Amino acid sequence: MGIILWLIIGGVVGWLASMVMRTDAQQGILLNIVVGIVGAFIGGLIFSGGSINEGITLYSFLVSLVGAIILLAIINLVRRGSVR
């Protein structure tokens, strides 16, 4: 059940982060899931808490979303030389 929850929440978080960073047209559902899961990990490291494994709360969702946005900003910075 945990891996299915990771995939669903990762997909939603990755999709929302790509909408915020305006990269939605460049990535598909698989990349959205990867961005969401890696973003949740990054957000958990930065904010030290809010793991999806402990349950879905508003705080854990926001931590995952912020982590995914940070990940996309870093990718855009490396690829294009600017955040957007």
Side-chain angles (χ1 to χ4, degrees), residues 1-18:
M1 182 70 174
I3 190 82
I4 295 172
L5 189 62
W6 281 17
L7 294 175
I8 293 171
I9 298 299
V12 171
V13 167
W15 175 69
L16 288 174
S18 69

Side-chain angles (χ1 to χ4, degrees), residues 5-14 17 32-53 59-72:
L5 189 62
W6 281 17
L7 294 175
I8 293 171
I9 298 299
V12 171
V13 167
N32 279 337
I33 292 171
V34 171
V35 166
I37 292 172
V38 173
F41 178 73
I42 291 171
L45 288 176
I46 292 172
F47 295 106
S48 67
S51 173
I52 296 293
N53 287 333
Y59 178 72
S60 65
F61 188 79
L62 290 176
V63 164
S64 300
L65 182 61
V66 169
I69 290 171
I70 290 170
L71 175 65
L72 286 177

